[in-house]
Amino acid sequence: MSTFSLDPGADQLAVRDWLHGFAADVMRPAAAEWDEREETPWPVIQEAAKLGIYSLDFYAQQYFDPSGVGIPIAMEELFWGDAGIGLSIVGTTLAAVAVLANGTDEQIGTWAPQMFGTPDDIKVAAFCSSEPDAGSDVSALRTRAVYDEAKDEWVLNGTKTWATNGGIAAVHVVVATVDPALGARGQASFVVPPGTPGLAQGQKFKKHGIRASHTAEVVLDSVRVPGHCLLGGKEKLDERLARAREGVRSGGGRNAAMATFEASRPAVGAQAIGIARAAYEVALDYAKTRVQFGRPIIDNQGVAFQLADMKTRIDAARLLVWRASWMAAGNQPFTAAEGSMSKLYAGETAKWVTAQAMQILGGNGFTREYPVERMHRDSAIYSIFEGTSEIQRLVIARAISGMPIR
Ligand SMILES: Cc1cc2nc3c(=O)[nH]c(=O)nc-3n(C[C@H](O)[C@H](O)[C@H](O)COP(=O)(O)OP(=O)(O)OC[C@H]3O[C@@H](n4cnc5c(N)ncnc54)[C@H](O)[C@@H]3O)c2cc1C
């Protein structure tokens, strides 16, 4: 008997349906308003927290689902609801994954709950890697972490940019360089606890899409954090730095930021699929009801084939995301950069599908009376953040060739 299956199982389907209800009944009706307000939709996050959709327990349960598809299913459903609000709800998980990927059990137990707060007092968290001069080139980070041995404290100085929830977060996870001479291998991740002096929000960005998600600079001015805020601990860092100084590659060349990105790429791909599916559904309905030349526009092969291609690409993207997530759950290494493949294809699919949807809606697609205009704007970030499409291609090209492609 074959054990191969793409059936997520009754439990996952029940979670999907539950999230779909929240996405349809709570997120969709609020989407246009928060897009216009360009603010974090705190009441919607609160509602999600009360239902258990914004909680550490919920994401941990999905994260540890043995099939691996718990997180992609959740992401797709929430982002089908709305991407801006969706990112406000799940932005915290990027910081949580950084702690999971790099922290000790004790650190995970201490910081992960504080990132979410409680349903009566919700909090968000931020993951701060990108800097003005270090976007795709993560090895160029300038934010410095210097150890003050006498006080067992780390002192952080630098400016982070593009941080989702930056400045409004309770807990910030900051990637900083401990030894700049070692490039990416000289970096480590630090937790900055709530209320730590010296951390301030800089500019808040006005964006093209995902406008209900807060994106800002984070300025670190002599921020002092206790020694135990170094994720993974000092002993492990010292060993890693010593190996790097001797020129020995460790952990497959992964650094703190890359460990976070690798784990999160299929999940980000699933978000893009949610947007694409939402736009496709609107376009399919519209094409069946919009009459021109005496018949529904879908009666024209030109339109029907467009919809056929949209659906095919969405399903292909989901299969890539599910494969990568299934591999990750089984600790199978991404030997052909399968995580990057899934994010690359899903991100490009979302941009393409939402553009097609706009075309199928004609003039209506170009207005804010219909949601595809917003979905099209929201999709654009999916070839940019968590590694641009070019960087995903670079990672895939290096993995399949074994060559240092530039
Ligand atoms: C809304 C939003 C939210 C974000 N959230 C976060 C967050 O929470 N935390 C965080 O740390 N960061 C976050 N980011 C940052 C995001 O990950 C970066 O914007 C992204 O990595 C690209 O970096 P950059 O903007 O500096 O572009 P650059 O690196 O300057 O790239 C510019 C262009 O050059 C191309 N390019 C660069 N190098 C190469 C190369 N070697 N080969 C081919 N092409 C190349 C890129 O693909 C891109 O097209 C966010 C960004 C945005 C816009």
Side-chain angles (χ1 to χ4, degrees):
M1 197 180 79
S2 166
T3 54
F4 179 76
S5 170
L6 285 170
D7 178 359
D11 289 354
Q12 284 308 333
L13 293 178
V15 170
R16 182 196 65 187
D17 293 347
W18 175 54
L19 293 176
H20 188 78
F22 178 77
D25 300 340
V26 180
M27 296 173 79
R28 276 280 173 97
E33 179 194 338
W34 291 101
D35 175 58
E36 289 298 336
R37 285 173 67 162
E38 301 194 43
E39 286 169 10
T40 300
W42 290 106
V44 186
I45 306 177
Q46 181 117 40
E47 182 82 19
K50 288 203 168 119
L51 294 171
I53 292 169
Y54 184 73
S55 80
L56 175 62
D57 277 359
F58 174 68
Y59 291 103
Q61 221 172 355
Q62 303 315 310
Y63 189 83
F64 292 112
D65 163 51
S67 74
V69 298
I71 287 284
I73 285 176
M75 293 291 178
E76 180 176 334
E77 246 18 77
L78 292 173
F79 282 68
W80 174 92
D82 181 61
I85 297 176
L87 201 63
S88 274
I89 292 176
V90 309
T92 295
T93 60
L94 187 59
V97 166
V99 174
L100 274 178
N102 301 300
T104 61
D105 287 349
E106 201 184 335
Q107 287 171 327
I108 295 167
T110 303
W111 301 114
Q114 294 192 43
M115 292 179 168
F116 289 88
T118 63
D120 291 328
D121 185 18
I122 45 170
K123 306 285 182 209
V124 293
F127 175 69
C128 310
S129 171
S130 304
E131 296 180 1
D133 293 319
S136 299
D137 184 3
V138 177
S139 69
L141 296 186
R142 286 195 193 154
T143 295
R144 276 302 301 268
V146 176
Y147 188 54
D148 179 345
E149 198 158 0
K151 293 187 171 158
D152 183 28
E153 286 178 345
W154 287 91
V155 186
L156 306 176
N157 275 293
T159 299
K160 293 292 178 182
T161 192
W162 306 124
T164 299
N165 297 336
I168 62 167
V171 175
H172 290 77
V173 175
V174 172
V175 185
T177 178
V178 178
D179 186 342
L182 296 175
R185 302 171 75 201
Q187 296 168 0
S189 292
F190 299 85
V191 168
V192 180
T196 304
L199 183 149
Q201 181 184 308
Q203 181 191 2
K204 178 188 168 187
F205 295 104
K206 285 183 80 70
K207 306 193 297 292
H208 175 70
I210 52 163
R211 300 195 306 180
S213 167
H214 170 105
T215 316
E217 289 175 334
V218 172
V219 181
L220 302 145
D221 182 9
S222 298
V223 171
R224 287 186 162 265
V225 298
H228 62 79
C229 287
L230 163 65
L231 290 177
K234 185 136 188 331
E235 203 175 312
K236 214 167 138 196
L237 173 69
D238 287 341
E239 279 170 25
R240 187 156 60 79
L241 294 179
R243 280 201 303 271
R245 287 186 191 110
E246 285 164 18
V248 181
R249 291 198 76 76
S250 63
R254 284 149 49 103
N255 62 47
M258 294 316 290
T260 305
F261 289 138
E262 273 175 35
S264 58
R265 274 173 187 160
V268 175
Q271 297 170 4
I273 294 168
I275 303 172
R277 196 183 101 212
Y280 156 76
E281 288 174 3
V282 174
L284 179 62
D285 281 351
Y286 192 90
K288 285 186 188 166
T289 52
R290 172 71 176 166
V291 173
Q292 286 295 277
F293 302 100
R295 56 181 201 265
I297 58 170
I298 199 169
D299 263 11
N300 303 291
Q301 268 193 6
V303 175
F305 282 13
Q306 236 175 336
L307 285 156
D309 283 345
M310 288 157 78
K311 172 71 173 147
T312 304
R313 289 203 198 182
I314 291 167
D315 283 11
R318 186 182 299 107
L319 286 172
L320 284 174
V321 165
W322 283 20
R323 176 182 70 167
S325 306
W326 171 78
M327 289 176 74
N331 285 321
Q332 294 187 50
F334 287 159
T335 49
E338 286 86 350
S340 289
M341 271 189 216
S342 71
K343 195 268 175 180
L344 167 65
Y345 193 75
E348 292 295 333
T349 295
K351 285 175 66 173
W352 184 81
V353 166
T354 54
Q356 301 310 304
M358 251 190 355
Q359 189 65 20
I360 289 172
L361 266 72
N364 282 331
F366 198 62
T367 70
R368 294 196 182 175
E369 298 298 310
Y370 285 79
V372 291
E373 181 270 346
R374 185 181 65 253
M375 293 164 184
H376 181 61
R377 285 187 285 108
D378 290 346
S379 73
I381 192 61
Y382 284 86
S383 63
I384 298 173
F385 70 3
E386 294 275 323
T388 65
S389 286
E390 292 74 25
I391 294 304
Q392 307 300 344
R393 290 187 178 98
L394 200 65
V395 173
I396 298 163
R398 285 178 183 159
I400 59 173
S401 69
M403 310 270 289
I405 314 285
R406 297 204 309 146

